[in-house]
Amino acid sequence: MANSDRLRRWTGPGLTAALLRWHRRVGLASFAVIAIMAVSGLLLNHARTLGLHEIDVDTRFVPGRYGQTIDAPIRAFHAGGRWAVWLSRRVIVDGRIVGSDVGPVVGARAAGPVLVVAAERGLLLIGPKGQVIESLGAVALPGPVERVGTDGSGRIVIDTGKGLFRADDQLLSWSPTSTAAAWSQLSNPPSAVVRAARAAVSARGPSLERLVLEVHTGRIFGPWGIYLFDAAALCLIVLAATGAVNALKRGRARSKGEESS
Amino acid sequence: MRMTALFPVLVAVLLVGAARADQVFQPPQSFLRQAFAGTVPDPAVVWLTGERMDAAARILGHRPHMLRVRYWGRSHRTAWILEEIGKERPITTGVVIDGGRIERVAVLVYRESIGWEVRYAFFTDQFENVRLTDDLRLNKAVDGISGATLSVRAVTNVARLALYLDGQTPHGQ
């Protein structure tokens, strides 16, 4: 008798009721997270149309790692009356971030109004108003830059490990040289420069598109947020499966009812 | 026993996944040598000022981060090595243009962890013979790759930018 009750619970109307019960429970438990995933997903799909990638979010409104204080060590070089600072993987000139992804800064030299900032993976040419004129990567350089300096005529010279190379006056091409150069040296920046650099790095929030992506994946809620959103994604699968089975069973029951009547 | 046997496979899969970041598929210098049959011309630049900056911003969906773009040109042929961010990190793409039409697009360096399928010929071959329309779009639709939407967008925009800039050089006029 007990066995037949158990069997009835997992077949026929018993199964339908159990599926409906679990569909309801899972749906209620995961509703909030699934709603967040759905809305953020919609926003991501239309992020470019909405211009979300162009909106920087103020770090005051962003929790966690985006708003953290930057205490990383600083490397600074002084040239042409300006400071080039390397802090937290970013290059900062005149208090503005002008580059990242170029490796640690190894020196800076002025070529007329242009500030040439040398990093391990490239050179940045910075205009008088702080605008990036060009970022010279491996294809534009004779080798990885170890030092940057100027020769007697004020031309930029780089030491690449493959030898010394001198730039033409437009900083477009390089020719081998053996002329002596005055090399850029590490300097101690004034506290105002340090403060400006730290402020520039810590104030840089993510774009709104990036922030929505962090919400969509649950990363914004910390390491446990990812697992929470994983669980919600699994709940979606359960909801789809229980919903589909219920719909099928109801369809069958309806057609059986029509046949018997 | 079976789990022990699976462990090295799992490690290998993880290592392959990790190796997909920062991959150099073709060194840029080699791409240029190929584009110009071994003798690479001296570089020249296009300045992004005024209308050019506006057009580049329309193409990329954001203002370019630099004021001048380097290229290599000879006769009616130009080669461009441009970087555009896919999701988080820049994708280095080479584009060769001959007579105002794309001859070759190649993903040279890929730094993202996903979306690397854009390097394959089934995607890049779609750009062959494509030119730019007056409204700065490609004259032929480029099929996307599911799971690589942002990388596809970045490479497509770089192709459009290279075509536009080619038209601004003496070689493309």
Side-chain angles (χ1 to χ4, degrees):
Chain A
M1 188 65 181
N3 278 349
S4 66
D5 277 354
R6 205 170 296 147
L7 193 65
R8 254 196 65 191
R9 197 183 300 161
W10 294 109
T11 54
L15 175 63
T16 310
L19 282 174
L20 273 173
R21 205 163 43 244
W22 277 103
H23 190 81
R24 192 166 54 238
R25 284 175 188 165
V26 172
L28 282 171
S30 58
F31 171 76
V33 180
I34 288 175
I36 292 172
M37 285 169 89
V39 172
S40 54
L42 281 170
L43 285 172
L44 282 176
N45 270 351
H46 302 281
R48 295 281 156 152
T49 320
L50 297 169
L52 302 188
H53 62 297
E54 287 174 341
I55 302 168
D56 282 336
V57 181
D58 193 309
T59 47
R60 283 173 300 175
F61 304 114
V62 183
R65 59 199 164 106
Y66 292 113
Q68 67 193 350
T69 315
I70 305 297
D71 291 324
I74 269 185
R75 288 171 65 85
F77 298 87
H78 191 233
R82 303 164 80 183
W83 284 93
V85 174
W86 166 252
L87 171 67
S88 190
R89 293 180 290 111
R90 292 185 174 96
V91 184
I92 301 125
V93 171
D94 304 333
R96 281 173 56 183
I97 295 172
V98 293
S100 54
D101 252 341
V102 289
V105 172
V106 297
R109 268 288 188 245
V114 177
L115 182 68
V116 179
V117 182
E120 282 182 2
R121 290 198 293 273
L123 284 189
L124 290 168
L125 311 184
I126 311 298
K129 292 178 184 165
Q131 70 276 45
V132 180
I133 295 171
E134 193 183 356
S135 173
L136 283 65
V139 71
L141 295 169
V145 183
E146 293 173 2
R147 291 189 293 177
V148 64
T150 38
D151 68 5
S153 61
R155 291 271 179 89
I156 294 292
V157 177
I158 52 172
D159 183 355
T160 65
K162 292 179 185 170
L164 305 182
F165 291 86
R166 191 171 87 137
D168 63 9
D169 55 354
Q170 291 187 70
L171 295 156
L172 270 178
S173 48
W174 303 86
S175 48
T177 183
S178 52
T179 3
W183 300 107
S184 171
Q185 304 286 340
L186 264 175
S187 308
N188 280 326
S191 55
V193 170
V194 176
R195 270 201 308 277
R198 292 198 193 285
V201 170
S202 60
R204 177 96 159 200
S207 72
L208 192 50
E209 183 183 26
R210 180 60 201 253
L211 186 66
V212 174
L213 182 67
E214 299 282 297
V215 171
H216 187 68
T217 55
R219 286 197 195 101
I220 200 157
F221 305 111
W224 290 104
I226 298 169
Y227 294 119
L228 180 69
F229 276 56
D230 284 350
L234 293 173
C235 285
L236 260 180
I237 298 171
V238 173
L239 286 171
T242 51
V245 172
N246 272 326
L248 279 172
K249 286 182 83 69
R250 282 184 176 183
R252 268 190 213 154
R254 201 174 296 133
S255 56
K256 268 184 189 172
E258 281 167 7
E259 277 171 21
S260 60
S261 64
Chain B
M1 183 64 188
R2 276 182 191 166
M3 288 305 287
T4 320
L6 274 176
F7 185 69
V9 177
L10 186 65
V11 170
V13 168
L14 288 173
L15 285 176
V16 168
R20 280 184 180 152
D22 281 284
Q23 282 199 80
V24 179
F25 300 126
Q26 184 177 15
Q29 284 295 355
S30 149
F31 174 82
L32 289 175
R33 280 195 297 273
Q34 220 171 41
F36 293 101
T39 318
V40 181
D42 287 337
V45 289
V46 174
W47 285 89
L48 297 178
T49 48
E51 271 181 31
R52 285 181 191 156
M53 179 59 92
D54 294 340
R58 269 177 61 200
I59 289 169
L60 297 175
H62 61 82
R63 285 179 79 77
H65 304 297
M66 57 186 71
L67 289 180
R68 74 181 196 186
V69 182
R70 183 174 295 242
Y71 74 95
W72 293 260
R74 183 185 298 143
S75 184
H76 296 294
R77 191 177 178 79
T78 57
W80 306 80
I81 293 175
L82 302 170
E83 290 193 338
E84 178 65 358
I85 290 175
K87 186 180 170 198
E88 288 176 339
R89 304 203 56 204
I91 302 168
T92 307
T93 307
V95 184
V96 180
I97 295 167
D98 201 332
R101 289 174 182 271
I102 291 178
E103 185 183 284
R104 186 181 173 215
V105 167
V107 173
L108 307 179
V109 186
Y110 197 82
R111 302 173 181 86
E112 307 267 21
S113 54
I114 54 168
W116 41 268
E117 296 90 338
V118 289
R119 66 172 281 210
Y120 290 122
F122 76 81
F123 175 70
T124 54
D125 284 356
Q126 297 182 87
F127 292 94
E128 277 175 27
N129 275 320
V130 167
R131 59 181 171 74
L132 202 65
T133 60
D134 291 339
D135 61 350
L136 305 178
R137 299 195 173 277
L138 301 180
N139 72 328
K140 189 186 134 197
V142 172
D143 291 336
I145 303 170
S146 60
T149 311
L150 296 179
S151 302
V152 165
R153 186 188 294 165
V155 174
T156 306
N157 287 347
V158 158
R160 290 168 65 204
L161 182 64
L163 279 167
Y164 169 74
L165 293 176
D166 173 77
Q168 304 299 306
T169 70
H171 308 277
Q173 288 169 353

